[in-house]
Amino acid sequence: MAEEAKSRGNEAFSARDYATAVKHFTDAIALSPTNHVLYSNRSAAHASLHHYADALKDAKKTVELKPDWSKGYSRLGAAHLGLHQIQDAISAYKKGLEIDPNNEGLKSGLADAQAAASQSRAAPPPSPFGNVFSGPEMWAKLTADPSTRLYLQQPDFVKMMQEIQKNPNNLNLYLKDQRVMQAIGVLLNVKLGGPNSGDDMEIPEETSTPQSSASERKEDKKMEEEKVAEPEPMEVTGEEKEAKERKAQAAKEKELGNAAYKKKEFEKAIEHYTKATELDDEDISYLTNRAAVYLETGKYDECIKDCDKAVERGRELRSDFKMIARALTRKGTALVKMAKCSRDYEPAIETFQKALTEHRNPDTLKKLNEAEKAKKDLEQQEYFDPKLAEEEREKGNESFKQQRYPEAVKHYSESLRRNPKDPKTYSNRAACYTKLGALPEGLKDAEMCIELDPTFSKGYTRKGAVQFFMKEYDKALETYQEGLKHDPRNQELLDGVRRCVEQLNKASRGDLSPEELKERQAKGMQDPEIQNILSDPVMRQVLVDFQENPKSAQEHTKNPMVMSKIQKLVQAGIVQMR
């Protein structure tokens, strides 16, 4: 991973983001502390930030690790020169040239160091103004004088005075600026004449410096910058340069592949994606894109191979989890396309589940649900066998006759797996559940029986019997009556109606025991319909009238809707009629 950190440092250096470059090179050094190139590159980044002491430290480490590498002495010379250690810089450049006599960077650095040495030996000419520009006294005088006080609020004036204070010879660069002339007069305690001098001088705005002065300052700045030893370009090996070029070419191939895919030129798209993978094996999107083309053209095996390779390579490179999830989803889709039986869906379902653990994508979740449903449907189709279903149903009937109800349920369930559309089997299993006291399961089977064949009277008798045992007499009565619409002479349905009416009349007459009444009321209060009736303000007033106002009660009896609700309350044991 040191190479990755180094590459990021090189990119930051190229973008002149030297602080970030230092950070990346530091990370790389932590991973590879004996790599001399990393110290050399960080030295260059430090020098670019004018942190010459740090640059010198890294340059010395570079030379220590690789004494026969000329670039290290170039870094060493630049750091010494930045610290104004001119003789040390000259020595470093000369030693580097002994290793590589034709190195232009070392020759240029040596020339700069020797020129700096010559300048340092030459005595500076005496300033005609003495020490008026030195020390804080200059700023105190300019602040105290009303004619120059306002100039100190102008950054360009302050900068010019700082340059003059640093090197009085720079004064020649700014003599055309009237503010500078005024300042000189104040510092020398003389009044300098001029067309714009004195109290009538116009104070220029912050940005309105004379053009000639600005031009001269720009030239001076350029000359000064040339004197500072700039670090040489970042060390980039031939391999890195080649790798960068290959990545750029791979990206172009991907774009061409995408364009071909959109035009449905699939063979061309595959060619471009293949070239991209050959040029750069660190971007798994080239593999997933090629897998998409294989999927589109029905080459599912090739698609799966590319997806597997993308996942494996992605984990090695610690790629974005979304990319890995995409590869897994694509593989799952190919497996679904290849599925011919229910078992073939199992690896597809497992692959979609893995993709969701990487990234929970709605599209992947939808594909998973579809695969699970398809698997279940196929299982039913593969298991469907009406002949075996009939055999299992007969076995269930024999067990039922012998009162072996759990065994009968087992046979009926197997029969339904073989033929899930047989209403008779649902009816028989409902009877078993009723015998076993599993009333909710019996009710569910009876309702399924009616749904499959609404004219099958057994379904109504099974459902009515379950509801009767659940003491929901009003609902049972409705079920029996519904069955009689299809089979008016069915004795079981007629008997069911009679039993329900007896129970309902018993409640109406108040013939229920206290325990029965309490039980029926508790069950009734759980019924949402009963709860709605009792919470209705109109019905609550009706019940009050029945107790306290016989005349109003007589009027209510003429309303069929009201009486229907009263009847439900009576049947639930909530209200008793006397």
Side-chain angles (χ1 to χ4, degrees):
M1 296 297 111
E3 283 300 319
E4 292 183 13
K6 177 187 173 186
S7 297
R8 289 194 292 269
N10 290 348
E11 291 173 5
F13 188 94
S14 300
R16 297 182 178 275
D17 187 357
Y18 303 121
T20 301
V22 168
K23 178 181 179 297
H24 287 309
F25 291 135
T26 301
D27 293 341
I29 288 170
L31 296 167
S32 181
T34 59
N35 189 329
H36 63 283
V37 175
L38 299 177
Y39 288 100
S40 170
N41 288 4
R42 190 170 69 174
S43 176
H46 278 311
S48 299
L49 292 168
H50 303 293
H51 299 163
Y52 295 111
D54 293 327
L56 180 61
K57 185 178 178 181
D58 278 347
K60 287 181 176 179
K61 185 67 176 179
T62 304
V63 172
E64 177 189 330
L65 291 171
K66 189 75 172 174
D68 58 346
W69 192 45
S70 62
K71 179 69 73 174
Y73 296 98
S74 177
R75 301 291 189 220
L76 189 62
H80 279 307
L81 195 58
L83 292 169
H84 303 291
Q85 299 167 353
I86 297 172
Q87 291 303 320
D88 290 333
I90 291 173
S91 298
Y93 286 126
K94 284 183 176 180
K95 194 162 186 179
L97 285 169
E98 290 175 6
I99 298 170
D100 186 2
N102 298 319
N103 190 298
E104 292 298 326
L106 289 167
K107 289 180 181 179
S108 175
L110 178 60
D112 290 341
Q114 290 172 338
S118 299
Q119 290 176 7
S120 65
R121 285 193 294 270
S127 172
F129 299 105
N131 297 325
V132 296
F133 299 115
S134 64
E137 292 83 1
M138 180 189 80
W139 301 106
K141 287 184 179 181
L142 294 177
T143 304
D145 193 284
S147 64
T148 56
R149 186 182 304 142
L150 293 175
Y151 297 159
L152 297 177
Q153 299 176 9
Q154 301 170 15
D156 61 327
F157 173 76
V158 173
K159 187 175 181 181
M160 284 189 286
M161 295 307 296
Q162 288 173 339
E163 293 292 335
I164 294 170
Q165 190 177 41
K166 187 184 299 181
N167 184 359
N169 292 328
N170 289 336
L171 177 63
N172 295 327
L173 301 173
Y174 309 119
L175 288 176
K176 291 184 179 181
D177 193 306
Q178 293 300 322
R179 294 171 296 174
V180 174
M181 294 298 296
Q182 182 72 12
I184 293 172
V186 170
L187 295 173
L188 296 175
N189 295 319
V190 295
K191 185 174 182 180
L192 299 178
N196 293 320
S197 62
D199 297 334
D200 296 332
M201 180 181 292
E202 181 181 352
I203 299 175
E205 295 182 6
E206 185 174 330
T207 57
S208 61
T209 56
Q211 186 173 353
S212 60
S213 176
S215 176
E216 291 174 6
R217 288 197 302 277
K218 183 176 180 182
E219 183 63 28
D220 180 64
K221 184 177 180 183
K222 182 178 179 182
M223 290 173 65
E224 286 194 2
E225 286 179 351
E226 289 176 352
K227 295 176 185 177
V228 178
E230 289 293 327
E232 295 182 23
M234 186 59 59
E235 182 67 26
V236 179
T237 63
E239 292 181 1
E240 289 177 335
K241 186 177 180 181
E242 183 183 352
K244 192 173 182 181
E245 291 174 353
R246 288 169 69 87
K247 283 181 180 290
Q249 185 60 36
K252 290 181 181 178
E253 291 292 342
K254 178 184 177 181
E255 291 176 5
L256 293 171
N258 293 347
Y261 181 84
K262 290 176 182 177
K263 295 177 182 178
K264 297 190 180 298
E265 297 174 351
F266 299 125
E267 291 303 322
K268 285 186 179 180
I270 290 173
E271 288 178 12
H272 289 302
Y273 291 139
T274 301
K275 288 180 182 177
T277 58
E278 293 170 352
L279 290 166
D280 180 12
D281 67 344
E282 294 185 351
D283 189 338
I284 64 172
S285 68
Y286 306 145
L287 289 168
T288 57
N289 283 15
R290 188 171 68 180
V293 182
Y294 285 139
L295 183 65
E296 188 75 23
T297 55
K299 298 177 180 179
Y300 304 127
D301 288 328
E302 287 83 350
C303 172
I304 292 170
K305 287 178 183 177
D306 271 359
C307 290
D308 285 338
K309 188 175 179 181
V311 172
E312 181 183 357
R313 188 65 177 137
R315 296 199 192 284
E316 291 175 359
L317 297 170
R318 297 183 182 178
S319 301
D320 186 351
F321 55 86
K322 292 181 181 178
M323 293 294 295
I324 294 175
R326 183 183 301 171
L328 288 168
T329 300
R330 203 149 283 168
K331 176 184 176 181
T333 305
L335 289 169
V336 166
K337 296 283 187 181
M338 297 171 68
K340 295 179 180 178
C341 64
S342 59
R343 288 186 180 181
D344 291 342
Y345 280 91
E346 291 176 4
I349 291 170
E350 182 181 355
T351 304
F352 287 136
Q353 289 171 340
K354 287 181 180 178
L356 289 171
T357 61
E358 296 289 340
H359 174 57
R360 195 161 185 83
N361 182 283
D363 181 59
T364 305
L365 183 59
K366 182 182 177 184
K367 289 178 181 291
L368 171 62
N369 292 335
E370 289 173 350
E372 289 176 337
K373 184 178 183 302
K375 178 177 180 290
K376 185 177 179 180
D377 291 343
L378 267 179
E379 284 176 341
Q380 290 181 349
Q381 293 175 19
E382 292 164 356
Y383 210 67
F384 182 79
D385 190 329
K387 184 178 179 180
L388 290 176
E390 183 64 24
E391 291 178 4
E392 288 293 332
R393 188 168 71 85
E394 288 299 328
K395 291 178 182 178
N397 292 345
E398 287 297 322
S399 297
F400 186 87
K401 290 176 184 178
Q402 297 172 17
Q403 298 183 0
R404 296 200 299 268
Y405 303 122
E407 186 178 326
V409 167
K410 181 181 176 182
H411 288 300
Y412 290 139
S413 298
E414 179 62 22
S415 175
L416 288 171
R417 281 194 286 271
R418 293 290 183 181
N419 183 8
K421 301 296 183 181
D422 185 2
K424 292 179 180 179
T425 309
Y426 279 108
S427 171
N428 291 4
R429 193 171 67 172
C432 269
Y433 280 135
T434 304
K435 292 290 186 181
L436 291 168
L439 300 181
E441 290 82 357
L443 181 62
K444 185 178 178 182
D445 273 1
E447 288 174 341
M448 190 64 185
C449 174
I450 294 171
E451 181 182 331
L452 291 171
D453 187 358
T455 64
F456 186 45
S457 58
K458 272 290 182 183
Y460 297 99
T461 60
R462 301 298 189 206
K463 182 179 179 181
V466 172
Q467 291 170 327
F468 188 89
F469 285 122
M470 295 173 75
K471 298 185 179 180
E472 296 177 349
Y473 304 120
D474 53 334
K475 293 182 179 179
L477 179 60
E478 290 176 5
T479 299
Y480 288 131
Q481 289 173 339
E482 184 67 26
L484 287 170
K485 291 179 183 178
H486 303 286
D487 190 0
R489 297 182 180 180
N490 187 289
Q491 193 59 47
E492 283 188 82
L493 294 172
L494 292 171
D495 289 343
V497 170
R498 178 180 54 75
R499 290 196 305 273
C500 290
V501 170
E502 286 177 356
Q503 288 296 325
L504 293 171
N505 287 339
K506 187 178 179 181
S508 299
R509 293 193 302 267
D511 293 341
L512 296 173
S513 67
E515 292 76 12
E516 290 177 326
L517 179 60
K518 187 176 180 180
E519 183 182 356
R520 184 169 294 192
Q521 288 175 341
K523 186 176 286 290
M525 290 301 293
Q526 295 175 359
D527 190 333
E529 187 177 3
I530 298 298
Q531 293 175 6
N532 290 334
I533 293 173
L534 293 175
S535 62
D536 184 352
V538 174
M539 286 303 300
R540 285 159 65 181
Q541 183 60 46
V542 168
L543 294 175
V544 171
D545 289 342
F546 267 96
Q547 289 179 335
E548 301 175 358
N549 193 341
K551 187 176 179 180
S552 297
Q554 286 292 330
E555 292 298 321
H556 292 317
T557 57
K558 297 177 183 179
N559 188 329
M561 187 176 294
V562 170
M563 288 309 296
S564 173
K565 292 180 179 181
I566 291 291
Q567 186 62 35
K568 287 187 181 295
L569 293 176
V570 171
Q571 293 169 356
I574 306 299
V575 173
Q576 293 184 356
M577 304 294 290
R578 299 187 185 279

